[in-house]
């Protein structure tokens, strides 16, 4: 597991779980994108583009996390990978729906459920 | 009478705690109810709300930590006291973080139980009075803020306004969070696009340049002397927030529709979309540097029979 302040990553077999931490707010944007660069490098170095994005630590989020997820997706899609989002709180699910992002990725209830979807 | 719910999977320990209360000088003060684990405790609370809960930490089905978390969520005004065994100090600290009112080492129950329960119960009465005052007697809450270019103040402001909403029980938790999302987006717009005059198009091109420019402008004239003005009015009708920046404003129509599939990969406009969706009404002035966010109150709360809304955390 790689621990940063805002984004943790964990290798789970052929996938990487990217977990946004509770410290993420809209106002740590520059720091968040700095850590996101590191995460994207990690995907590249491991050559793994099967990704689970774990939102379970966030009560809600706004455009910042949407943008971070879009950046991850851009890299994953460019390498023919897949992405599943999991552990999404109710209001966060609405945010995904409003942005029409729920049409881009499946949403699972648990990390294990998300990993299973990636294996399908 | 003060109703104490004693939660412990050990019948011996339950009786030990009950016995200490029954034999105390204040024995006529206590009405004692027992539960043998966290799930049983929640059922007991549902049928009769206690004044204080005292619980063991390690129990089958639902342990003390989970019970604290569940009670804080569903019954935030019931104080919970933990009984800790030797070596479980870390768990006690975690429980305090989750909202437990206090803890007593089991070896000190005889000495500290009564005084601790009395102390947390007295404190909880004060909390309840405060909550009753806020929920039922506060009819309007107005506040104004002037923020400089310190972005770190914004989360504190959003948190403050959300707590004020929670205190007045204006909206349910989901609506409160939706208001939080909209406020954050509006404040970020005022800060980056308003006062610092940085276009979101730059973020589309290179977000590093975007944030580097933001940092630089925070130190440059005229940007660094600009402020964001926030007025909040909370009343029984709802919440009205007015946010004004000192930038030149912007043309709302110039933004792309972020829900158009062609624009899904562009970062612009999503914040506005969230604001419009989560608030009842969003209005910009002609210049585009003042936004008014309105969230109207929809009464949905139940009453507890005495004409007042529930304020015991139920």
């Amino acid at each position: 597991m790689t621990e940063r302040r805002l984004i943790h990553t964990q290798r789970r077999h052929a996938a990487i779980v990217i977990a946004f931490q509770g410290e993420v707010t809209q106002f740590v944007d520059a720091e968040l994108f700095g850590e996101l660069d590191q995460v994207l490098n990690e995907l590249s170095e491991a050559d793994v583009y099967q990704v689970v994005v774990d939102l379970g630590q966030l009560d809600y989020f706004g455009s910042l996390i949407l943008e971070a997820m879009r950046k991850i997706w851009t890299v994953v899609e460019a390498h023919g990978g897949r992405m599943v989002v999991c552990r999404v709180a109710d209001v966060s699910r609405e945010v995904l729906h409003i942005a029409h992002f729920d049409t881009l990725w499946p949403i699972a209830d648990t990390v294990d459920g998300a990993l299973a979807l990636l294996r399908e | 009478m003060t109703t104490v719910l004693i939660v412990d999977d050990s019948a011996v320990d339950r009786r030990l705690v009950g016995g200490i209360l029954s034999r105390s000088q204040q024995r006529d003060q206590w009405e004692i109810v027992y539960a043998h684990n966290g799930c049983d405790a929640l059922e007991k609370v549902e049928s009769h709300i206690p004044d204080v809960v005292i619980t063991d930490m390690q129990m089958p089905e639902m342990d003390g930590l989970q019970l604290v978390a569940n009670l804080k969520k569903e019954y935030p005004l019931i104080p919970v006291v933990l009984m800790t065994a030797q070596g479980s100090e870390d768990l006690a600290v975690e429980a305090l973080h989750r909202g437990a009112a206090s803890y007593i080492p089991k070896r000190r129950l005889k000495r500290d139980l009564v005084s601790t329960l009395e102390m947390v119960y007295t404190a909880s009465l004060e909390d309840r009075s405060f909550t009753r005052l806020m929920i039922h007697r506060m009819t309007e809450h107005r506040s104004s803020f002037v923020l400089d270019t310190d972005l770190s103040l914004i989360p504190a402001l959003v948190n403050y306004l959300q707590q004020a909403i929670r205190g007045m029980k204006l909206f349910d938790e989901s609506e409160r969070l939706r208001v939080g999302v909209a406020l954050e987006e509006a404040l970020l717009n005022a800060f980056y696009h308003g006062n610092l005059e940085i276009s979101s198009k730059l973020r589309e091109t290179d977000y590093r340049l975007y944030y580097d420019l933001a940092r630089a402008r925070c130190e440059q004239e005229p940007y660094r002397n600009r402020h964001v003005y926030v007025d909040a009015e909370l009343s029984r009708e709802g919440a009205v927030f007015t946010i004004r920046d000192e930038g030149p404003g912007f043309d709302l129509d110039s933004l792309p529709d972020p829900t158009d599939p062609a624009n899904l990969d562009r970062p612009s406009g999503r914040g506005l979309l969230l604001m419009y969706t989560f608030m009842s009404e969003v209005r910009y002035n002609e210049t585009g540097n003042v936004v008014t966010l309105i969230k109207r109150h929809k009464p949905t709360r139940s009453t507890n029979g005495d004409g007042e809304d529930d304020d015991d955390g139920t």
Side-chain angles (χ1 to χ4, degrees), chain B residues 102-295:
Chain B
S102 187
Y103 73 95
I104 313 172
K106 278 194 167 179
R107 64 179 187 282
R108 291 190 182 156
L109 276 173
K110 201 170 174 183
R111 192 187 77 180
D112 294 342
L113 178 64
V114 172
S115 60
T116 303
L117 289 187
E118 285 184 329
M119 183 185 71
V120 299
Y121 178 56
T122 304
S124 80
L125 286 181
E126 289 166 8
D127 279 352
R128 283 175 207 211
S129 297
F130 181 76
T131 303
R132 286 167 67 88
L133 179 71
M134 294 293 286
I135 294 174
H136 302 299
R137 275 82 187 179
M138 182 184 270
T139 56
E140 194 171 89
H141 175 119
R142 286 171 184 260
S143 50
S144 297
F145 303 85
V146 182
L147 304 178
D148 54 24
T149 51
D150 183 357
L151 194 64
S152 68
L153 292 175
I154 296 180
L157 172 59
V158 173
N159 186 43
Y160 171 81
L161 294 172
Q162 289 205 70
Q163 292 310 320
I165 287 169
R166 177 183 271 163
M168 288 177 74
K169 264 198 178 175
L170 280 188
F171 308 117
D172 65 24
E173 278 300 285
S174 293
E175 289 290 21
R176 184 180 68 82
L177 294 178
R178 291 184 189 107
V179 170
V181 173
L183 275 174
E184 288 184 0
E185 299 294 348
L187 288 163
L188 282 174
N189 280 348
F191 182 84
Y192 282 113
H193 308 318
N195 280 352
L196 298 184
E197 295 182 49
I198 304 175
S199 165
S200 52
K201 282 180 186 159
L202 180 59
R203 196 167 65 174
E204 285 180 32
T205 318
D206 187 335
Y207 64 87
R208 290 179 201 85
L209 284 178
Y210 180 89
Y211 292 115
D212 286 347
L213 184 59
R215 266 192 294 273
R217 287 193 172 174
C218 284
E219 305 297 324
Q220 293 169 0
E221 299 281 2
Y223 315 103
R224 72 175 184 185
N225 291 326
R226 288 176 176 170
H227 297 87
V228 174
Y229 299 84
V230 181
D231 292 316
E233 294 175 41
L234 309 181
S235 71
R236 290 291 150 212
E237 282 70 48
V240 179
F241 306 98
T242 307
I243 297 167
R244 175 168 68 89
D245 63 63
E246 296 186 303
F250 79 109
D251 178 10
L252 202 58
D253 296 330
S254 66
L255 286 173
D257 173 4
T259 63
D260 183 334
N263 294 328
L264 274 186
D265 63 347
R266 299 176 66 182
S268 309
R270 287 196 205 109
L272 273 180
L273 179 68
L274 293 174
M275 285 161 54
Y276 276 92
T277 309
F278 283 160
M279 301 301 283
S280 310
E281 187 179 341
V282 176
R283 285 197 303 258
Y284 272 91
N285 68 345
E286 268 188 34
T287 314
N289 71 325
V290 181
V291 62
T292 303
L293 308 170
I294 300 171
K295 185 76 172 179

